[in-house]
Amino acid sequence: MNPTFPFQPQNATAKKRKVAIICSHGGLDEVYPAFILANAARMSDIDAMIFFTFYGLDAITEDKVDHLHVNMAGNASSPIPTMLAGLPGMDALAGKMMRTKMRKLDIPPAREMLKILDEAGCELYACHLAMDMMGLDKKDLVPQVKDVITAGDFYDLSEGAQIIFT
Amino acid sequence: MNPTFPFQPQNATAKKRKVAIICSHGGLDEVYPAFILANAARMSDIDAMIFFTFYGLDAITEDKVDHLHVNMAGNASSPIPTMLAGLPGMDALAGKMMRTKMRKLDIPPAREMLKILDEAGCELYACHLAMDMMGLDKKDLVPQVKDVITAGDFYDLSEGAQIIFT
Amino acid sequence: MNPTFPFQPQNATAKKRKVAIICSHGGLDEVYPAFILANAARMSDIDAMIFFTFYGLDAITEDKVDHLHVNMAGNASSPIPTMLAGLPGMDALAGKMMRTKMRKLDIPPAREMLKILDEAGCELYACHLAMDMMGLDKKDLVPQVKDVITAGDFYDLSEGAQIIFT
């Protein structure tokens, strides 16, 4: 006899916490908050999923995942004056600087983070509509992406979750 | 005798899912995630509301709703170099390109989306404080806006909802 | 005999509403939505906390809190052409204009808002990882910051909360 039996199903529903992250931007500095929040959720035994949409698709696109830029011109906190931030290559340079800093702190690069998240049980999804807009196909995405789903599917998967739109 | 009676009120509270979207940015590419998430919620029979605040007010302002730009300079995913993105008219051009792409995918323009959302039962609200900051009056807004409310009112309306800040 | 006793514990859990705001951007126009939502929550007797991470740390850094800029180049709603928005000093000017407008509406400056939030019982936290990335120390932050915590700690504190990522 399991003494907790009568409360089990109820608790199971109430207790299993879930986080559904929507990643809608593709900058290195915009993607990492999503990655870190997803990873921390799994470390805390919270269910986690990321739904990549709009520019966020860059983070799971084979051609782009290794070259995510840092958006300097559109960043009020940037130490670089906006005028200079507009110079060609500046975003890439900022991305390089951020990557160096991250490496020193042992934060893995984006592609590696996706593998870690996948192995930790975080489910990665791509937005169907955004894929159509960008002219992308499932084969253009990293293999860790579980499925291409609609916003309606996202709602099915995020029932009862804390939704975090990044 | 309704056998489910004793659980009814509890279930009623627990089951009616609600999404409260805060739309705080006014770019075409920033407004559509809010629109699409709200619409998908209604399609899934989830209660939905959008609270437009700060630059998000552009999306429900009569003078601006048909001319929402795409923010190229502040977009790390942009294919256009930041320097060129800063040229006059570039944001408008990007907006035009995005509109063409959306039309091909049968995604309605912003003004049309607001009508569709309203008819689908999604409630549209404007932020009182942001209206004051921008010097806007209720008559400056599209007719689908149900009311101008405070952040406090927003909390009343979003009790139990999944909040999505876009 | 307290007639509500049998429902008390259940209600206590169900009723005490909580809002956990993540502030990840440092522009004046990006920080205020977080401040205003946190303050409105406290006014409505909802528990509130703000977790400052990435550029959001600017808003609680002693050296920066009084000089937060408005991001013009990365703002599709800006009335200033992107090219001009890139000129040196333009962000600072926009920040000054926004500050003047806010003063007219009796909206307190950022440093003052943090004091008000603290006194209203809103808990302010800084992200450990982001502090490391920016090379910041607890002593660099305003005194209202309660603690420097990890993303894992954030999840502990935000259990059952509505999460708002700004």
PDB file of all heavy atoms in Angstrom, chain A residues 57-74:
ATOM      1  N   LEU A  57      15.108  31.925 -34.475  1.00  0.00           N
ATOM      2  CA  LEU A  57      15.454  30.752 -35.294  1.00  0.00           C
ATOM      3  C   LEU A  57      16.941  30.708 -35.632  1.00  0.00           C
ATOM      4  O   LEU A  57      17.502  29.626 -35.821  1.00  0.00           O
ATOM      5  CB  LEU A  57      14.636  30.740 -36.589  1.00  0.00           C
ATOM      6  CG  LEU A  57      13.154  30.347 -36.459  1.00  0.00           C
ATOM      7  CD1 LEU A  57      12.445  30.503 -37.796  1.00  0.00           C
ATOM      8  CD2 LEU A  57      13.017  28.909 -35.949  1.00  0.00           C
ATOM      9  N   ASP A  58      17.582  31.889 -35.705  1.00  0.00           N
ATOM     10  CA  ASP A  58      19.026  31.922 -35.988  1.00  0.00           C
ATOM     11  C   ASP A  58      19.801  31.000 -35.049  1.00  0.00           C
ATOM     12  O   ASP A  58      20.782  30.376 -35.450  1.00  0.00           O
ATOM     13  CB  ASP A  58      19.587  33.345 -35.810  1.00  0.00           C
ATOM     14  CG  ASP A  58      19.204  34.267 -36.965  1.00  0.00           C
ATOM     15  OD1 ASP A  58      18.483  33.815 -37.880  1.00  0.00           O
ATOM     16  OD2 ASP A  58      19.624  35.431 -36.950  1.00  0.00           O
ATOM     17  N   ALA A  59      19.348  30.959 -33.803  1.00  0.00           N
ATOM     18  CA  ALA A  59      20.075  30.211 -32.772  1.00  0.00           C
ATOM     19  C   ALA A  59      20.053  28.708 -32.987  1.00  0.00           C
ATOM     20  O   ALA A  59      20.841  27.972 -32.396  1.00  0.00           O
ATOM     21  CB  ALA A  59      19.524  30.546 -31.383  1.00  0.00           C
ATOM     22  N   ILE A  60      19.130  28.236 -33.832  1.00  0.00           N
ATOM     23  CA  ILE A  60      19.062  26.791 -34.094  1.00  0.00           C
ATOM     24  C   ILE A  60      19.272  26.478 -35.574  1.00  0.00           C
ATOM     25  O   ILE A  60      19.049  25.351 -36.007  1.00  0.00           O
ATOM     26  CB  ILE A  60      17.732  26.170 -33.602  1.00  0.00           C
ATOM     27  CG1 ILE A  60      16.538  26.976 -34.135  1.00  0.00           C
ATOM     28  CG2 ILE A  60      17.691  26.085 -32.089  1.00  0.00           C
ATOM     29  CD1 ILE A  60      15.193  26.286 -33.922  1.00  0.00           C
ATOM     30  N   THR A  61      19.700  27.497 -36.338  1.00  0.00           N
ATOM     31  CA  THR A  61      19.961  27.292 -37.765  1.00  0.00           C
ATOM     32  C   THR A  61      21.433  26.934 -37.964  1.00  0.00           C
ATOM     33  O   THR A  61      22.312  27.673 -37.523  1.00  0.00           O
ATOM     34  CB  THR A  61      19.607  28.575 -38.558  1.00  0.00           C
ATOM     35  OG1 THR A  61      18.225  28.888 -38.336  1.00  0.00           O
ATOM     36  CG2 THR A  61      19.841  28.382 -40.049  1.00  0.00           C
ATOM     37  N   GLU A  62      21.677  25.813 -38.615  1.00  0.00           N
ATOM     38  CA  GLU A  62      23.041  25.292 -38.835  1.00  0.00           C
ATOM     39  C   GLU A  62      24.012  26.379 -39.301  1.00  0.00           C
ATOM     40  O   GLU A  62      25.121  26.508 -38.794  1.00  0.00           O
ATOM     41  CB  GLU A  62      23.021  24.153 -39.864  1.00  0.00           C
ATOM     42  CG  GLU A  62      22.656  22.789 -39.299  1.00  0.00           C
ATOM     43  CD  GLU A  62      23.761  22.207 -38.411  1.00  0.00           C
ATOM     44  OE1 GLU A  62      24.846  22.802 -38.322  1.00  0.00           O
ATOM     45  OE2 GLU A  62      23.518  21.157 -37.796  1.00  0.00           O
ATOM     46  N   ASP A  63      23.591  27.188 -40.283  1.00  0.00           N
ATOM     47  CA  ASP A  63      24.469  28.194 -40.890  1.00  0.00           C
ATOM     48  C   ASP A  63      24.770  29.369 -39.965  1.00  0.00           C
ATOM     49  O   ASP A  63      25.698  30.139 -40.230  1.00  0.00           O
ATOM     50  CB  ASP A  63      23.808  28.780 -42.149  1.00  0.00           C
ATOM     51  CG  ASP A  63      23.907  27.826 -43.320  1.00  0.00           C
ATOM     52  OD1 ASP A  63      24.562  26.785 -43.166  1.00  0.00           O
ATOM     53  OD2 ASP A  63      23.310  28.125 -44.370  1.00  0.00           O
ATOM     54  N   LYS A  64      23.958  29.566 -38.941  1.00  0.00           N
ATOM     55  CA  LYS A  64      24.072  30.786 -38.154  1.00  0.00           C
ATOM     56  C   LYS A  64      24.481  30.585 -36.703  1.00  0.00           C
ATOM     57  O   LYS A  64      25.013  31.504 -36.073  1.00  0.00           O
ATOM     58  CB  LYS A  64      22.735  31.540 -38.200  1.00  0.00           C
ATOM     59  CG  LYS A  64      22.332  31.922 -39.617  1.00  0.00           C
ATOM     60  CD  LYS A  64      21.240  32.978 -39.617  1.00  0.00           C
ATOM     61  CE  LYS A  64      21.034  33.519 -41.031  1.00  0.00           C
ATOM     62  NZ  LYS A  64      19.880  34.427 -41.115  1.00  0.00           N
ATOM     63  N   VAL A  65      24.227  29.406 -36.181  1.00  0.00           N
ATOM     64  CA  VAL A  65      24.406  29.188 -34.738  1.00  0.00           C
ATOM     65  C   VAL A  65      25.828  29.502 -34.249  1.00  0.00           C
ATOM     66  O   VAL A  65      26.015  29.949 -33.118  1.00  0.00           O
ATOM     67  CB  VAL A  65      23.979  27.750 -34.333  1.00  0.00           C
ATOM     68  CG1 VAL A  65      24.808  26.702 -35.057  1.00  0.00           C
ATOM     69  CG2 VAL A  65      24.079  27.551 -32.840  1.00  0.00           C
ATOM     70  N   ASP A  66      26.829  29.325 -35.141  1.00  0.00           N
ATOM     71  CA  ASP A  66      28.213  29.592 -34.722  1.00  0.00           C
ATOM     72  C   ASP A  66      28.635  31.041 -34.932  1.00  0.00           C
ATOM     73  O   ASP A  66      29.772  31.417 -34.613  1.00  0.00           O
ATOM     74  CB  ASP A  66      29.182  28.676 -35.488  1.00  0.00           C
ATOM     75  CG  ASP A  66      28.932  27.216 -35.191  1.00  0.00           C
ATOM     76  OD1 ASP A  66      28.662  26.887 -34.018  1.00  0.00           O
ATOM     77  OD2 ASP A  66      28.993  26.385 -36.127  1.00  0.00           O
ATOM     78  N   HIS A  67      27.751  31.857 -35.490  1.00  0.00           N
ATOM     79  CA  HIS A  67      28.131  33.236 -35.827  1.00  0.00           C
ATOM     80  C   HIS A  67      27.130  34.260 -35.301  1.00  0.00           C
ATOM     81  O   HIS A  67      26.919  35.299 -35.926  1.00  0.00           O
ATOM     82  CB  HIS A  67      28.263  33.384 -37.347  1.00  0.00           C
ATOM     83  CG  HIS A  67      29.024  32.279 -38.000  1.00  0.00           C
ATOM     84  ND1 HIS A  67      30.399  32.201 -37.921  1.00  0.00           N
ATOM     85  CD2 HIS A  67      28.627  31.195 -38.686  1.00  0.00           C
ATOM     86  CE1 HIS A  67      30.797  31.104 -38.559  1.00  0.00           C
ATOM     87  NE2 HIS A  67      29.744  30.480 -39.031  1.00  0.00           N
ATOM     88  N   LEU A  68      26.490  33.976 -34.199  1.00  0.00           N
ATOM     89  CA  LEU A  68      25.513  34.922 -33.658  1.00  0.00           C
ATOM     90  C   LEU A  68      26.211  36.214 -33.245  1.00  0.00           C
ATOM     91  O   LEU A  68      27.255  36.197 -32.602  1.00  0.00           O
ATOM     92  CB  LEU A  68      24.785  34.302 -32.462  1.00  0.00           C
ATOM     93  CG  LEU A  68      24.031  32.994 -32.756  1.00  0.00           C
ATOM     94  CD1 LEU A  68      23.482  32.405 -31.470  1.00  0.00           C
ATOM     95  CD2 LEU A  68      22.914  33.231 -33.764  1.00  0.00           C
ATOM     96  N   HIS A  69      25.637  37.338 -33.639  1.00  0.00           N
ATOM     97  CA  HIS A  69      26.236  38.640 -33.350  1.00  0.00           C
ATOM     98  C   HIS A  69      25.696  39.207 -32.044  1.00  0.00           C
ATOM     99  O   HIS A  69      24.688  38.765 -31.524  1.00  0.00           O
ATOM    100  CB  HIS A  69      25.934  39.618 -34.482  1.00  0.00           C
ATOM    101  CG  HIS A  69      26.717  39.332 -35.720  1.00  0.00           C
ATOM    102  ND1 HIS A  69      26.787  40.190 -36.788  1.00  0.00           N
ATOM    103  CD2 HIS A  69      27.488  38.269 -36.072  1.00  0.00           C
ATOM    104  CE1 HIS A  69      27.543  39.675 -37.733  1.00  0.00           C
ATOM    105  NE2 HIS A  69      27.973  38.505 -37.319  1.00  0.00           N
ATOM    106  N   VAL A  70      26.404  40.218 -31.563  1.00  0.00           N
ATOM    107  CA  VAL A  70      25.873  41.009 -30.467  1.00  0.00           C
ATOM    108  C   VAL A  70      25.410  42.315 -31.086  1.00  0.00           C
ATOM    109  O   VAL A  70      26.124  42.931 -31.875  1.00  0.00           O
ATOM    110  CB  VAL A  70      26.935  41.291 -29.384  1.00  0.00           C
ATOM    111  CG1 VAL A  70      26.415  42.305 -28.380  1.00  0.00           C
ATOM    112  CG2 VAL A  70      27.309  40.003 -28.685  1.00  0.00           C
ATOM    113  N   ASN A  71      24.211  42.701 -30.766  1.00  0.00           N
ATOM    114  CA  ASN A  71      23.622  43.897 -31.321  1.00  0.00           C
ATOM    115  C   ASN A  71      24.127  45.131 -30.571  1.00  0.00           C
ATOM    116  O   ASN A  71      23.657  45.424 -29.473  1.00  0.00           O
ATOM    117  CB  ASN A  71      22.107  43.741 -31.220  1.00  0.00           C
ATOM    118  CG  ASN A  71      21.380  44.984 -31.587  1.00  0.00           C
ATOM    119  OD1 ASN A  71      21.989  45.960 -32.008  1.00  0.00           O
ATOM    120  ND2 ASN A  71      20.082  44.953 -31.431  1.00  0.00           N
ATOM    121  N   MET A  72      25.087  45.858 -31.169  1.00  0.00           N
ATOM    122  CA  MET A  72      25.647  47.015 -30.473  1.00  0.00           C
ATOM    123  C   MET A  72      24.831  48.287 -30.697  1.00  0.00           C
ATOM    124  O   MET A  72      24.587  49.054 -29.796  1.00  0.00           O
ATOM    125  CB  MET A  72      27.084  47.276 -30.939  1.00  0.00           C
ATOM    126  CG  MET A  72      28.043  46.152 -30.607  1.00  0.00           C
ATOM    127  SD  MET A  72      27.893  45.563 -28.902  1.00  0.00           S
ATOM    128  CE  MET A  72      28.653  46.936 -28.036  1.00  0.00           C
ATOM    129  N   ALA A  73      24.408  48.516 -31.957  1.00  0.00           N
ATOM    130  CA  ALA A  73      23.713  49.760 -32.272  1.00  0.00           C
ATOM    131  C   ALA A  73      22.383  49.860 -31.530  1.00  0.00           C
ATOM    132  O   ALA A  73      21.953  50.936 -31.167  1.00  0.00           O
ATOM    133  CB  ALA A  73      23.491  49.882 -33.772  1.00  0.00           C
ATOM    134  N   GLY A  74      21.759  48.738 -31.327  1.00  0.00           N
ATOM    135  CA  GLY A  74      20.457  48.778 -30.676  1.00  0.00           C
ATOM    136  C   GLY A  74      20.538  48.485 -29.197  1.00  0.00           C
ATOM    137  O   GLY A  74      19.613  47.977 -28.598  1.00  0.00           O
TER     138      GLY A  74
END
